[in-house]
């Protein structure tokens, strides 16, 4: 069989690229080594984690309904039912991708893909049978996997990555999360709400590196109020799993402090993700990698080998599903002779804890480092009527604008619904809008989003309600 395009990997990058390419008239096949389509995101990432985040948030909320005049008894956890909800959510999403393949006449092939040369992909099926497919273009969309922690052996039962942390069969008494990035904090929050005592150990002296420092500082206090403990500037040197309880050796990153051993029932290693290119035959095909073993591409997602392209987690940039998706669309357009493009300056990032953090564009630290003269507009949810009615007054909106032109350069929100509210700032930035543009835009009352408008007003001139 000969194709216009073979995509290796069916995650958000791969399947979206395939669908868009098929919509544009190309003959497409997708090769996926997992039994179901949808990649990390749908099977063991974004989607199952959000199912558990939502369910555990509702579980936790029950204890706080009294203040709204709703009397209920203590919530009772049915963990198997919660996990079944997660599994059903995954199934409906991965089935959705299979449906999209059928609808767009894309050949979905379950098997492991290996690039033999430009235009040739070998597929090895589960029974060992192989087949060679011919194609005009190949897209590498093989994503990423969890980065290992030297000296720590993962068993996915007691010493787990995010994959095991989505499957725990009981609530651990003590959970140690190694790494205060998005995945560690999200999954730590899930198990904290369900009753675990959670300690986050982080090498750096701050959580969520890369996010706006002021937002993160307040957010850490909120998590501490929820009972999550932090050990910052601390490294895990080993995990001894020989006894009934795990013995986690930690020591300060700075010299001079003393080492300690912490007890845990479960350790979640969430120190980051690394590009996944194993077994793809890249070296033999001559495809170059960068210093972090990511596939090197040019501005049109082409590798150094003509006809071989790459998108998503396996190339440089934030490891986010929507970044992979948009690269998939852009590349499909380029392959169909159109002008595909991704605006990397306006890619939102969301931490789906409670409350959420959402951000887009530059942080204050980045603007300072770049020597850009900026204005800050801030508005707290405590001054927002809807937030008060919902007892969701924690957090604030922060908008950063260019002091000379008023153009919005960054937006940061910590608070309930931040992940939905951020998009008006994303659209504004996509169209190079100003704080005045946003401040003059009518927002429905009463909504949490009015705080975004007020923050824009604060950056431009003055807010009304403060
Ligand atoms: C717990 C967790 C939560 C996350 N939550 C979010 C979130 O809320 N929002 C967000 O934006 N991002 C989130 N992410 C990140 C997101 O999952 C990734 O950014 C996204 O999946 C990357 O998409 P991709 O298409 O590049 O690769 P992937 O989704 O990793 O898909 C790659 C696919 O390629 C397949 N593959 C690999 N090698 C081969 C081969 N040789 N042959 C055939 N198939 C192959 C793999 O089996 C896999 O299915 C989360 C990640 C994790 C782990």
């Amino acid at each position: 069989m000969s194709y216009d395009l073979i995509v290796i990997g069916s995650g958000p990058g791969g399947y979206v690229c395939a669908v868009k390419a098929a919509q544009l008239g190309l003959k497409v096949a997708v090769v996926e080594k997992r039994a179901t389509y949808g990649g990390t995101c749908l099977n063991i990432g974004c989607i199952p984690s959000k199912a558990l985040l939502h369910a555990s948030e509702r579980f936790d909320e029950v204890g706080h309904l009294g203040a709204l005049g709703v009397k209920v008894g203590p919530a009772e956890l049915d963990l198997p039912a919660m996990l079944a909800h997660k599994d059903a959510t995954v199934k409906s999403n991965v089935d959705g991708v299979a449906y999209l393949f059928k609808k767009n006449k894309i050949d979905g092939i379950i098997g492991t893909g290996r690039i033999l040369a430009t235009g040739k992909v070998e597929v090895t099926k589960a029974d060992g049978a192989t087949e060679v497919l011919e194609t005009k273009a190949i897209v590498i969309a093989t994503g990423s996997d969890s980065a290992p922690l030297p000296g720590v052996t993962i068993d996915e039962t007691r010493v787990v990555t995010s994959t095991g942390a989505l499957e725990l069969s009981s609530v651990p008494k003590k959970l140690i999360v190694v790494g205060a990035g998005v995945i560690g904090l999200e999954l730590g929050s899930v198990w904290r709400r369900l009753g675990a005592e959670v300690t986050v150990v982080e090498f750096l002296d701050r959580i969520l590196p890369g996010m706006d420092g002021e937002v993160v500082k307040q957010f850490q206090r909120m998590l501490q109020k929820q009972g999550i403990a932090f050990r910052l500037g601390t490294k895990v040197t080993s995990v001894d799993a020989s006894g009934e309880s795990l013995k986690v050796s930690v020591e300060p990153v700075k010299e001079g402090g003393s080492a300690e051993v912490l007890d845990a029932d479960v350790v979640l290693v969430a120190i980051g993700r690394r590009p996944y290119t194993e077994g793809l035959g890249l070296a033999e095909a001559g495809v170059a990698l960068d210093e972090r073993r990511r596939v090197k591409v040019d501005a049109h997602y082409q590798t150094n080998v003509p006809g071989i392209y790459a998108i998503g987690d396996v190339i440089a940039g934030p490891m986010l599903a929507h970044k992979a998706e948009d690269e998939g669309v852009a590349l499909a357009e380029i392959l169909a002779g159109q002008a595909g493009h991704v605006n990397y300056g306006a890619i939102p990032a969301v931490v789906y804890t409670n409350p959420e953090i959402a951000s887009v564009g530059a942080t204050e630290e980045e603007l300072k480092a770049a020597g850009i003269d900026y204005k800050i507009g801030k508005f707290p949810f405590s001054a927002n009527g809807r937030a008060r009615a919902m007892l969701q007054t924690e957090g604030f909106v922060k908008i950063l604008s260019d002091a000379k032109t008023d153009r919005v350069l960054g937006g940061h929100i910590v608070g309930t619904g931040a992940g939905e509210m951020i998009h008006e700032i994303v659209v504004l930035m996509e169209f190079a809008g100003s704080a005045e543009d946003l401040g003059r835009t009518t927002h429905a009352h009463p909504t949490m989003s009015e705080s975004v408008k007020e923050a824009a007003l604060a950056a431009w001139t003055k807010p009304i309600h403060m």
Side-chain angles (χ1 to χ4, degrees):
M1 182 63 106
S2 179
Y3 294 94
D4 292 319
L5 173 63
I6 293 180
V7 182
I8 306 179
S10 70
Y15 88 75
V16 169
C17 182
V19 169
K20 186 69 191 177
Q23 286 174 349
L24 293 174
L26 303 189
K27 176 77 192 135
V28 183
V30 176
V31 182
E32 170 56 58
K33 69 176 185 167
R34 193 184 289 277
T36 51
Y37 301 120
T40 303
C41 180
L42 275 63
N43 288 279
I44 51 166
C46 328
I47 295 298
S49 61
K50 266 76 246 176
L52 288 186
L53 278 156
H54 178 77
S56 63
E57 214 176 300
R58 298 285 83 79
F59 175 80
D60 183 58
E61 196 180 17
V62 172
H64 300 99
L65 290 176
L68 294 171
V70 181
K71 271 182 144 181
V72 283
E76 203 182 308
L77 178 63
D78 181 348
L79 186 57
M82 201 178 273
L83 295 176
H85 157 67
K86 175 209 60 164
D87 292 340
T89 309
V90 168
K91 182 166 176 6
S92 67
N93 279 275
V94 300
D95 286 353
V97 176
Y99 162 78
L100 288 176
F101 284 176
K102 217 180 231 169
K103 184 179 168 203
N104 289 285
K105 301 191 171 39
I106 294 165
D107 287 347
I109 302 165
I110 298 294
T112 302
R114 194 163 72 90
I115 300 171
L116 297 181
T118 301
K120 277 194 181 14
V121 175
E122 180 191 68
V123 180
T124 306
K125 305 272 176 66
D127 62 6
T130 60
E131 163 183 26
V132 176
L133 305 172
E134 309 243 324
T135 178
K136 288 185 190 137
I138 298 170
V139 174
I140 301 166
T142 49
S144 61
D145 67 357
S146 305
L149 183 59
V152 176
T153 307
I154 301 288
D155 62 21
E156 293 295 13
T157 317
R158 296 201 302 160
V159 185
V160 298
T161 65
S162 55
T163 304
L166 292 165
E167 296 281 339
L168 299 181
S169 56
S170 62
V171 179
K173 271 202 190 75
K174 286 187 181 179
L175 169 67
I176 290 184
V177 178
V178 190
V182 180
I183 292 174
L185 295 183
E186 286 187 0
L187 293 174
S189 292
V190 165
W191 294 106
R192 170 69 205 122
R193 285 177 206 144
L194 299 181
E197 195 182 295
V198 176
T199 302
V200 179
V201 181
E202 166 60 50
F203 187 89
L204 300 175
D205 56 6
R206 59 163 287 173
I207 67 170
L208 294 173
M211 287 208 145
D212 189 89
E214 184 185 17
V215 168
V216 161
K217 236 185 210 163
Q218 206 185 106
F219 177 65
Q220 189 182 334
R221 280 199 291 270
M222 292 172 187
L223 291 183
Q224 279 162 342
K225 242 169 63 185
Q226 292 171 21
I228 296 183
F230 289 93
R231 297 270 196 135
L232 303 183
T234 304
K235 61 181 175 188
V236 170
T237 51
S238 68
V239 176
D240 177 358
S242 59
E244 206 166 287
S245 115
L246 299 169
K247 303 284 176 203
V248 183
S249 300
V250 298
E251 61 183 58
V253 172
K254 282 193 187 132
E255 276 173 30
S258 50
E260 242 182 292
V261 177
L262 308 176
D263 281 321
D265 304 295
V266 172
V267 171
L268 162 59
V269 177
I271 58 164
R273 296 183 61 79
R274 58 181 183 180
Y276 186 82
T277 53
E278 250 161 64
L280 258 182
L282 295 189
E284 296 84 338
V287 175
L289 305 180
D290 70 11
E291 70 294 345
R292 290 166 65 180
R293 304 203 54 75
R294 299 173 297 198
V295 178
K296 253 189 185 168
V297 290
D298 65 15
H300 292 120
Y301 306 104
Q302 185 161 246
T303 66
N304 60 314
V305 180
I308 304 181
Y309 302 80
I311 53 171
D313 278 11
V314 81
I315 68 169
M319 287 185 167
L320 292 169
H322 41 283
K323 176 256 192 192
E325 287 186 34
D326 287 356
E327 287 176 345
V329 169
L331 176 54
E333 288 172 337
I334 291 166
L335 292 172
Q338 300 181 357
H341 169 74
V342 175
N343 176 3
Y344 289 97
I347 295 185
V350 179
V351 187
Y352 296 86
T353 42
N354 185 21
E356 293 175 346
I357 297 190
S359 72
V360 59
T363 62
E364 242 194 289
E365 291 81 358
E366 285 166 346
L367 293 179
K368 264 186 203 145
I372 294 169
D373 198 7
Y374 62 92
K375 284 169 77 179
I376 306 173
K378 264 196 285 187
F379 193 82
F381 289 111
S382 57
N384 174 286
R386 182 69 182 280
R388 287 181 187 147
M390 301 194 306
L391 297 181
Q392 301 294 336
T393 51
E394 279 193 319
F396 59 93
V397 181
K398 174 172 174 178
I399 287 188
L400 303 167
S401 59
D402 188 297
K404 281 185 215 83
T405 64
D406 193 41
R407 181 174 172 169
V408 170
L409 303 174
H412 307 275
I413 309 177
V414 54
T416 297
E420 300 292 341
M421 282 184 277
I422 195 70
H423 292 101
E424 61 174 305
I425 310 176
V426 178
V427 173
L428 183 86
M429 288 181 63
E430 188 67 38
F431 288 90
S434 65
E436 179 181 357
D437 289 331
L438 185 46
R440 284 190 185 277
T441 303
T442 306
H443 283 59
H445 176 73
T447 55
M448 298 282 283
S449 299
E450 285 174 293
S451 300
V452 179
K453 169 182 171 160
E454 290 275 5
L457 284 173
W460 172 43
T461 52
K462 280 188 173 163
I464 299 290
H465 291 91
M466 218 177 55

